[in-house]
Structures are given as structure tokens and as C-alpha cells.
Amino acid sequence: MRKPVSAANWKMHKTIREASEFVAGVRSKILDVPQVDIILCASSTVLFHIAADADESGIEFGAQNCHWENEGAFTGEVSPEMLLDCGAQWVIVGHSERRHLFSETDEDVARKFSAAVFAGLRPILCVGETLDERQSGTTSEVIWRQLNAVTSLTEAEAFDRAVIAYEPVWAIGTGITAETDQIEEAHGVIRDFMKNVDEKLADEIRILYGGSVKPTNATELIEIAGVDGVLVGGASLSIDSFMEITQAISEHYDKG
Ligand code: PEP
């Protein structure tokens, strides 16, 4: 069985004090959810602090973006090596806000994925279609294209330590959650794509769902075939709602 993931994407939220309080809250409850991998994806300004605070707690930390070079004249950018140095184990690449608000291309995402793996970080690769793409019936094609850009640049082994998150753009931050059959189908597209890369990898890789995950829908989402966890934006800002979601995932896996 694939170990489930509960990942928080705090986006551009939380000062050092707020982030530290959150981590202390997770620490106090982590023993209730031993079978879930908890990953907190924070802004680079707080990562060092919270990763040092959480030493040996079992909580894992991630950044939300990185550059593809390890150093150089790239004002304002942060490299994979710097993130690793701050205590991050993970980095989100290809989040739809990066793709659509900051015009990152599939090729940019592929370069970031590759650089992250090369530096020793574990990528959380986000893929997903816009509303227009869904309505025009091109969801599978879009997911395939986004994945293909990454596998064209990296070896299959680069995915050994990665997770993939299916995040339909129209469900992110909108309060609208994708329907069960839409999620099952998209996760199937991703797993089938990975089968073409490597059968064993396709069996082992964890595929998360993200898009308006809340305590009230977490159980329903984790029960969908092929969903190995969640990537949570808005509802991860409150310790109570994030831990309720994590608890729901844990209970599902307790039931076997
Ligand atoms: C996200 O930003 O990755 C996300 C899934 O956001 P939300 O949960 O707010 O839809």
C-alpha cells in the first residue's frame, strides 16, 4: 500500500511566528496520524526557522517553487540547493499559480523538476487543466503534455522520490471540488502515463488530489480509487482544519 500524504501549501501566508505556532500544533498531534506523511510547504522566508524547530518530529518541509540553476545572476530567485540548505526536503513545481500567474511553461517546470531532483530535493509535481481545457474535452491531453515535458528531460528514476498532484485549475481556491469520476479519470490518466515510463514506478508513485480540499470532503476524496493523499491550500492555513483533513486520511488507511 502506498503511504498517504497530507501536504499543505501555505502559498504567500505565514510569518515566522505563525508558521512556528502551526508546526508546534502539528507536533502535538502527529502521533495520532502515524501512517500519514505530513509535508508543510512554506515560503522560503520561514523554512529555515520551522525546519530547525521541528527537528526529529517526523514533519517534512517543502518550498513552493525553485529556480533551475543552483546559483547565478537571477535576482529574486531561490535555488534548489539553497532550499535544501534551509532544511527543505520537498519542493512544489508546476503549481498552477506559477504556470498561469507567472507564465511558467511546461519546459520551465521540467527544468525545475530536474534541478530539484539533481540537488536532492523531492518534487511535488502539479498538473491539471483549466476550465476552458476541461470544457473543450482536452483534460487528458493537457495532463499528458505536462507530464511528457518532464519525462522528456529526466530519467524515470527521477520520479522515485517524487509525488504527482492532480490539481484541476478551476477547483483551486474556488470552493469547487472536482467530481469523483473526474478525479478518478485524471488519476488514471496520470498512472497510465507513468506505466509507459516504468510499470513499477507507476505502481509506487503517490498521486495526490488538490483543489478545495476541506475537512468536510476529505474522507470522500481519499476514498476515490487512485487518490493517495491531498495537497491543501486554503484549508491548510488553520491547524484545526489541516489536522482534521489529515485525520480523515489516517482513518481511511486505518480501515485498510
Ligand atoms: C493549492 O493551492 O494547491 C490548492 C489546492 O488550493 P486550495 O486547497 O485552496 O484549492
Side-chain angles (χ1 to χ4, degrees):
M1 199 181 223
R2 296 179 288 263
K3 190 171 185 195
V5 175
S6 183
N9 174 15
W10 288 343
K11 311 193 186 196
M12 200 171 70
H13 292 281
K14 296 204 186 291
T15 60
I16 293 175
R17 186 180 55 76
E18 291 163 344
S20 299
E21 283 171 7
F22 192 103
V23 171
V26 176
R27 273 190 97 134
S28 69
K29 296 180 174 154
I30 200 163
L31 292 178
D32 301 341
V33 289
Q35 53 283 75
V36 182
D37 278 345
I38 297 181
I39 308 172
L40 304 180
C41 297
S43 60
S44 312
T45 52
V46 307
L47 260 178
F48 179 72
H49 212 86
I50 58 176
D53 271 359
D55 198 27
E56 316 240 313
S57 64
I59 305 170
E60 298 176 34
F61 295 95
Q64 300 168 11
N65 181 32
C66 65
H67 196 261
W68 52 76
E69 295 289 348
N70 263 331
E71 59 181 15
F74 302 103
T75 302
E77 292 290 334
V78 178
S79 77
E81 206 169 77
M82 291 166 177
L83 295 172
L84 202 68
D85 196 34
C86 273
Q89 293 109 311
W90 295 87
V91 61
I92 297 175
V93 295
H95 190 277
S96 65
E97 285 153 18
R98 301 294 321 168
R99 291 181 191 265
H100 299 290
L101 301 177
F102 298 97
S103 308
E104 281 186 14
T105 64
D106 293 337
E107 289 67 34
D108 294 337
V109 174
R111 292 169 84 182
K112 290 178 181 211
F113 182 100
S114 172
V117 172
F118 188 75
L121 285 171
R122 306 181 68 174
I124 299 174
L125 171 65
C126 297
V127 298
E129 78 289 0
T130 62
L131 188 58
D132 276 357
E133 289 163 342
R134 173 156 289 275
Q135 286 171 343
S136 62
T138 56
T139 298
S140 307
E141 213 174 290
V142 169
I143 293 173
W144 196 92
R145 192 201 69 223
Q146 291 171 338
L147 291 171
N148 191 52
V150 178
T151 55
S152 302
L153 198 70
T154 52
E155 302 292 322
E157 300 80 70
F159 279 85
D160 281 352
R161 287 161 40 81
V163 307
I164 299 175
Y166 168 58
E167 296 214 307
V169 182
W170 47 274
I172 295 180
T174 57
I176 302 167
T177 314
E179 301 291 331
T180 300
D181 56 335
Q182 294 172 324
I183 298 173
E184 206 173 319
E185 194 182 348
H187 278 238
V189 169
I190 296 170
R191 215 167 288 282
D192 282 348
F193 179 95
M194 295 312 294
K195 267 189 200 139
N196 289 327
V197 176
D198 185 290
E199 287 268 350
K200 185 166 171 282
L201 180 65
D203 267 352
E204 290 174 354
I205 196 156
R206 293 173 293 179
I207 306 177
L208 316 184
Y209 168 77
S212 299
V213 178
K214 302 176 269 250
T216 48
N217 61 19
T219 301
E220 196 184 320
L221 290 166
I222 197 66
E223 282 173 355
I224 299 173
V227 173
D228 302 313
V230 288
L231 178 54
V232 190
S236 75
L237 294 176
S238 134
I239 178 79
D240 289 344
S241 62
F242 179 67
M243 289 313 285
E244 268 182 64
I245 291 167
T246 307
Q247 189 74 47
I249 294 171
S250 174
E251 279 164 19
H252 173 71
Y253 279 79
D254 274 345
K255 281 190 239 148

